[in-house]
Amino acid sequence: MTIAKKIENFMSQSSWIRKMFEDGIKLKKEYGAENVFDFSLGNPNVLPPSSFKKALIETVQETEEHGYMPNAGYLETREAVASFLTKENNLKIPASNVVMTCGAGGALNVVFKSILNPDDEVITVAPFFVEYRFYVDNNNGVLKVASLKKDFSLDIAEIEKNITEKTKAILINSPNNPTGKVYSKNDLDELASMLLKKQKELNQTIYLISDEPYNKIVYDDVIVPNIFEAYKNSIVVTSYSKTMSIPGERIGYIAVHPELLDAEKFVAALVFCNRILGFVNAPALMQRVVAKVQNQIVDVNEYKKKRDMFCEGLSEIGYEFNVPEGAFYLFPKAPIEDDVKFVQILQQEKVLTVPGSGFGTSGYFRIAYCVDDKTILNSIPHFKKAFDEALKLGG
Ligand code: PLP
């Protein structure tokens, strides 16, 4: 075998979402797509806002240049993002503090490449987006995982316990994939106070990285608190993948707090890393498009309807879960301890989900409800059969 041992290992450990997706393709072939209920992938099914398509057509027609650009992105795009963020944050964010990236995934790699020395540590909380482990490893760091409270809110004491002189950053994601939790302003303020204390105590900078690709997908008047308000050494990474339903277009950005320590040098490192990681720059056409549609989002009510439909159906059966405040995932407790076994039982019912173990938290499973309403409605009797079957086995 000629591929790297580490990659071979990672590939065998990281296959849950992919495996479910591929099993789904086989099942659909065998039983017909309408008889398979695929909740494995977070691929948005709600249409992009119509203003996106309009801006895309306009941009294609008016664009003559397709060349390289400054590695941070077009100035007019960074200005549009900065002016949007300035309004949203009530804090002057200059265009020079914005770097356009290939999605939030690209953004996270650029940030880690910029800050991590070999074996430096990044602390996140479980359950977490699976790719974090690989993104940190790509850049020679080590991911440490702290647990959350039972309701999936931040446990500041647990995060604090994990901080050492090797800690470079804390990485959080709200609204969260896979729990749908939005961290409260109180929790973020408490996290910020703890980080300030630890920075002083250890005499080192600890960055707070907020991964926010779902920040506009929230329900019931929930507001995603502003990370910049809470902590100066903070960095927001985000994208238009979920808020505008365009994940295939690979467009996002990094925004750096204007008072982050040595912000200018920090941004220069980000720009350099965007280049040398091989991204060179975020896609040119998409940069031009998003500059025109800063404040546009998908119809969140569609996701809310799906969330409510699922919550009602599952709670009638007896599943236990926290009602998601944002994103488009449900993270119910498996009715038996073994989440992998339960996901297999669901699969026998042709329902595809992902075990919580894949996100670092066993005993749960993730449902991505960014699918059409009919799939949700028709799946409920199958969730019921799987629940009853699991109880028979468990009891
Ligand atoms: N962060 C989280 C929490 C995600 O769920 C995802 C995608 O599912 C990403 C980052 C990557 O998003 P993007 O498509 O913008 O790279």
Side-chain angles (χ1 to χ4, degrees):
M1 184 60 87
T2 51
I3 60 165
K5 279 209 170 69
K6 185 163 84 175
I7 294 302
E8 206 181 342
N9 257 341
F10 278 175
M11 283 162 69
S12 68
Q13 293 162 22
S14 74
S15 55
W16 269 116
I17 297 181
R18 229 47 250 172
K19 179 184 175 318
M20 297 315 287
F21 180 65
E22 274 151 27
D23 285 0
I25 295 174
K26 271 190 235 146
L27 284 176
K28 283 172 197 168
K29 226 178 188 173
E30 203 175 330
Y31 296 100
E34 69 287 2
N35 298 313
V36 178
F37 309 98
D38 188 351
F39 305 109
S40 61
L41 267 192
N43 204 8
N45 83 315
V46 168
L47 283 178
S50 56
S51 52
F52 170 77
K53 194 162 184 183
K54 190 168 163 273
L56 177 60
I57 292 167
E58 239 175 61
T59 309
V60 167
Q61 278 167 348
E62 73 199 14
T63 303
E64 300 291 346
E65 280 176 31
H66 299 276
Y68 290 121
M69 70 191 75
N71 302 109
Y74 289 124
L75 183 59
E76 80 232 35
T77 307
R78 298 166 74 203
E79 276 171 351
V81 173
S83 115
F84 171 71
L85 289 177
T86 295
K87 270 186 231 134
E88 288 257 302
N89 288 269
N90 225 352
L91 175 76
K92 174 83 188 128
I93 314 232
S96 55
N97 280 38
V98 174
V99 178
M100 300 309 296
T101 61
C102 295
L108 284 165
N109 274 284
V110 166
V111 173
F112 293 145
K113 181 89 178 164
S114 304
I115 64 174
L116 296 177
N117 289 309
D119 300 329
D120 274 353
E121 293 169 355
V122 175
I123 301 172
T124 196
V125 288
F128 60 94
F129 178 50
V130 260
E131 307 298 68
Y132 287 167
R133 195 174 289 291
F134 307 117
Y135 295 168
V136 170
D137 179 85
N138 285 346
N139 298 292
N140 296 319
V142 177
L143 187 76
K144 285 177 84 177
V145 182
S147 50
L148 289 167
K149 291 186 178 159
K150 275 219 162 79
D151 66 352
F152 300 127
S153 60
L154 292 176
D155 189 332
I156 312 298
E158 276 299 313
I159 297 174
E160 183 171 2
K161 267 195 230 157
N162 279 278
I163 294 181
T164 68
E165 63 286 349
K166 283 188 169 292
T167 305
K168 240 343 178 3
I170 311 295
L171 169 62
I172 57 169
N173 160 229
S174 169
N176 186 268
N177 172 10
T179 65
K181 185 84 186 163
V182 173
Y183 301 140
S184 71
K185 178 161 168 32
N186 253 358
D187 278 2
L188 294 181
D189 286 343
E190 214 185 299
L191 174 63
S193 309
M194 184 274 283
L195 291 180
L196 283 174
K197 183 187 82 179
K198 291 308 274 189
Q199 284 197 137
K200 237 192 204 154
E201 204 176 291
L202 297 167
N203 193 24
Q204 71 195 45
T205 301
I206 303 175
Y207 297 111
L208 176 58
I209 305 168
S210 182
D211 177 26
E212 305 183 356
Y214 304 92
N215 65 356
K216 296 287 171 210
I217 304 180
V218 282
Y219 313 115
D220 311 322
D221 302 323
V222 166
I223 289 174
V224 182
N226 191 327
I227 205 79
F228 282 170
E229 224 171 76
Y231 189 67
K232 286 182 184 161
N233 279 329
S234 60
I235 302 134
V236 168
V237 302
T238 190
S239 73
Y240 303 87
S241 295
K242 315 286 172 161
T243 53
M244 282 214 292
S245 283
I246 53 167
E249 303 298 348
R250 312 307 306 135
I251 182 77
Y253 61 84
I254 305 166
V256 172
H257 193 295
E259 291 173 63
L260 179 131
L261 189 73
D262 285 334
E264 200 178 323
K265 197 164 169 195
F266 188 93
V267 176
L270 296 177
V271 175
F272 177 73
C273 292
N274 208 25
R275 182 183 114 205
I276 64 164
L277 279 169
F279 301 125
V280 183
N281 55 249
L285 181 66
M286 281 303 136
Q287 286 195 51
R288 292 193 157 108
V289 175
V290 298
K292 295 177 180 165
V293 286
Q294 270 310 298
N295 207 5
Q296 303 295 309
I297 45 170
V298 292
D299 181 358
V300 175
N301 275 329
E302 287 208 35
Y303 286 130
K304 179 175 155 44
K305 204 167 90 192
K306 295 175 199 301
R307 178 200 69 164
D308 292 346
M309 228 191 272
F310 239 136
C311 288
E312 198 187 318
L314 292 185
S315 67
E316 265 173 26
I317 297 167
Y319 284 95
E320 287 171 41
F321 53 86
N322 291 318
V323 176
E325 298 166 283
F328 39 60
Y329 306 104
L330 258 162
F331 199 59
K333 221 172 173 167
I336 48 174
E337 223 176 290
D338 186 343
D339 53 316
V340 174
K341 174 84 197 146
F342 183 63
V343 162
Q344 283 162 352
I345 297 174
L346 280 169
Q347 195 171 347
Q348 280 160 17
E349 281 300 318
K350 303 184 198 65
V351 174
L352 302 169
T353 58
V354 182
S357 312
F359 302 89
T361 303
S362 58
Y364 292 81
F365 63 104
R366 188 192 78 169
I367 297 170
Y369 57 83
C370 43
V371 300
D372 62 71
D373 296 1
K374 211 169 69 198
T375 306
I376 298 174
L377 276 181
N378 292 343
S379 72
I380 299 295
H382 298 266
F383 274 100
K384 163 95 176 110
K385 273 197 195 159
F387 189 86
D388 294 343
E389 178 66 26
L391 288 193
K392 257 193 260 158
L393 282 179

